[in-house]
Amino acid sequence: MTQVTERGTPLQESPRHAAPRRRSPAAAACVLGGAVAAGLGLGFLAVLVIVLWISSPYPDSGPGGALHLAAGLWLMAHGTELVRYETLSGVPAPVGLVPLLLVALPVLLMRRAARLGSASGDAAGAEGDEVLPAGAVFSAVTCGYLTVGAFATVYAAGGPMPADPLSAAWHVPLVAVLAAAGGVWAAKGKQSGPLPEWVPGSVRRAVARPRYALALRSGAAGVLVLLGGGALLVGISLAWHGPEVQNSFLALTGVWSGRFAVLLLALALIPNAMVWGAAYGLGPGFALGAGAVATPLGLEGHAALPRFPLLAALPAPGPGSPLTWAALGLPVAAGLVVGWFAVRRAREVSYGETALTAALGALVCGLAMAGLAAASAGPLGSRMLAGVGPVWWAVGGAAAGWTLVLAVPLAVGVQVWRTRPVRSAAGGVEGDAWHDSGVRELRWEALRRAAEPLVAPAVEVPVAPPVVVAPVEPVPAVPVLPVAVVGARVLARRRPES
């Protein structure tokens, strides 16, 4: 009993007395990572503004004003409106036209911070510390980022172009939340599990169908076609109005630092120009102030816009020409692409299912273009420049309408072509039994038979019956004398007499 108790397996300790897991410092690291991501964005813009301020021959303010302006630009990269108080009329003018390329800076930094935070939480769990769930990582990174954002909003209030507090209160959290969610999702392997239990069962079963994945793919393809066509229209217009663009660029400033700043601003506005070009090809066009709209049918009204190289490529005022009418071929190409990508490969899909998938793809394309149009537009001042850029609801409706009218007939036509009966060599029509529905078992059987020469058949090994061993009677042991004793006796008998 003593040996069993000493050598046996020790009993497990009570959970009450078990050593608690050490709390991981990953939460603090995630908060710090979010703050560092915001600091890196602020630092990048601060360095850029300071370099331009140093190289400017006529700086308007000191380094403090440049740093305040950098904080305002960082907030503007999140979509926040800035307010310009130094105007000729004395009326404060809002500046809400956000360069979309500038938005990529906080998005990429925040997404990277969320991914690193998720990785640090997993590493802490491997070392025995507390593992942070995805929600905790998301909350910690967002908290650190928004803390720096609040300080930046207060600091920018003392600069020449402070941020609107109400605009910053929802734009900065929106960008931070979306970027952090994308980073955590990417760090967890892009898992797309089932919907929560509180979602109705009919909705969960409907979302699990493949039609929604095809609709997203076809809608994304249509958006890419529209944006690519918009970039093509902008490039053609810049090349067509080359002398005007060059004169506008050279007339803005005569020093190289100013021209470098104008070039950077033009590059940051290229995504906006792509969306404006797509809106122009869709038909609604874009507004150039109060009462001025540019469409393929012509430029109506008088555009009271500042001198800028990209704006110098606008069409001339007046009715359009066949060259501008050709831009309407862009939504036609987008609708055809949406219809092509909405068709499934399987032949057992009905025509109604194909038409519904194409319609959902058109809806996705319209919603995406509406969001991009809203993000690319904004005010450049008050009164005449209160609204510049495409109108989001008009662009979204036009994109959805064009693609719906063209995608649904094309998708159904492609489905009819793929499910057509196969003709024999004699000219007759054969039943295409290989692709008909309900014969999947026959197809697998044919594939198995075709693969028999390549795959060795499985050989069954016979199992031997169990062998019964008869009991053996125990044999009594014969005592054997030790060898050393026997040898000693023999040597004693052979010892010669002295």
Side-chain angles (χ1 to χ4, degrees):
M1 183 66 181
T2 308
Q3 294 178 356
V4 173
T5 353
E6 291 179 356
R7 300 181 182 179
T9 306
L11 299 176
Q12 295 182 356
E13 296 182 1
S14 174
R16 229 179 246 184
H17 303 284
R21 301 185 67 184
R22 294 183 294 111
R23 182 168 297 276
S24 171
C30 291
V31 175
L32 182 61
V36 169
L40 288 176
L42 278 168
F44 175 79
L45 292 177
V47 170
L48 183 61
V49 173
I50 287 294
V51 168
L52 294 177
W53 174 79
I54 293 175
S55 58
S56 175
Y58 307 105
D60 294 336
S61 58
L67 293 177
H68 284 87
L69 182 60
L73 290 178
W74 182 79
L75 294 172
M76 190 179 188
H78 297 78
T80 304
E81 288 188 1
L82 304 182
V83 182
R84 186 165 55 93
Y85 289 98
E86 298 178 0
T87 58
L88 297 178
S89 61
V91 179
V95 180
L97 184 59
V98 182
L100 292 183
L101 192 60
L102 195 62
V103 182
L105 177 64
V107 169
L108 292 178
L109 290 175
M110 187 60 175
R111 187 174 182 272
R112 179 177 177 272
R115 291 188 63 180
L116 292 179
S118 301
S120 64
D122 296 342
E127 295 176 359
D129 297 336
E130 182 183 359
V131 181
L132 289 181
V137 174
F138 166 78
S139 303
V141 175
T142 307
C143 180
Y145 193 89
L146 294 182
T147 302
V148 179
F151 283 111
T153 305
V154 175
Y155 182 75
M161 294 181 64
D164 185 7
L166 295 179
S167 180
W170 71 274
H171 277 101
V172 177
L174 178 63
V175 174
V177 164
L178 294 179
V184 173
W185 182 60
K188 298 299 180 181
K190 299 182 179 180
Q191 300 176 1
S192 56
L195 294 177
E197 295 295 334
W198 53 267
V199 180
S202 57
V203 177
R204 284 182 291 174
R205 288 190 297 270
V207 172
R209 295 177 181 176
R211 80 160 69 116
Y212 297 99
L214 286 175
L216 289 176
R217 184 184 67 175
S218 59
V223 172
L224 290 178
V225 171
L226 289 174
L227 293 180
L232 181 62
L233 292 178
V234 172
I236 293 175
S237 182
L238 287 174
W240 187 268
H241 301 86
E244 292 85 351
V245 173
Q246 182 179 4
N247 294 334
S248 174
F249 180 75
L250 297 177
L252 283 175
T253 178
V255 296
W256 68 269
S257 59
R259 292 177 180 177
F260 181 67
V262 172
L263 180 61
L264 289 179
L265 181 58
L267 292 177
L269 287 171
I270 285 180
N272 301 63
M274 294 170 59
V275 179
W276 289 26
Y280 183 85
L282 285 169
F286 46 88
L288 299 174
V293 181
T295 64
L297 301 180
L299 178 59
E300 301 177 358
H302 178 69
L305 292 176
R307 181 178 295 180
F308 195 72
L310 291 178
L311 298 177
L314 292 173
S321 62
L323 189 61
T324 59
W325 300 342
L328 295 175
L330 178 59
V332 175
L336 297 180
V337 169
V338 171
W340 178 264
F341 278 92
V343 182
R344 292 177 58 186
R345 297 291 181 181
R347 289 175 173 253
E348 56 267 16
V349 180
S350 62
Y351 299 146
E353 179 73 14
T354 302
L356 180 58
T357 304
L360 291 176
L363 179 61
V364 170
C365 182
L367 292 176
M369 288 305 302
L372 290 175
S376 65
L380 282 178
S382 57
R383 298 177 184 175
M384 295 294 294
L385 297 178
V388 178
V391 182
W392 65 269
W393 58 266
V395 174
W402 276 102
T403 52
L404 180 65
V405 171
L406 295 171
V408 174
L410 177 67
V412 175
V414 172
Q415 185 73 13
V416 171
W417 174 259
R418 289 182 178 178
T419 56
R420 71 191 187 280
V422 180
R423 297 184 177 273
S424 60
V429 178
E430 297 180 353
D432 192 8
W434 179 261
H435 294 94
D436 288 342
S437 59
V439 291
R440 293 186 177 181
E441 293 81 7
L442 298 177
R443 290 184 291 188
W444 281 109
E445 181 67 17
L447 288 174
R448 188 185 64 80
R449 291 179 180 178
E452 282 181 357
L454 302 177
V455 181
V459 180
E460 296 183 359
V461 180
V463 181
V467 180
V468 180
V469 181
V472 181
E473 297 180 357
V475 180
V478 180
V480 182
L481 295 176
V483 179
V485 177
V486 175
R489 290 181 180 179
V490 173
L491 292 175
R493 291 176 183 179
R494 293 184 181 181
R495 180 178 300 176
E497 296 179 359
S498 53

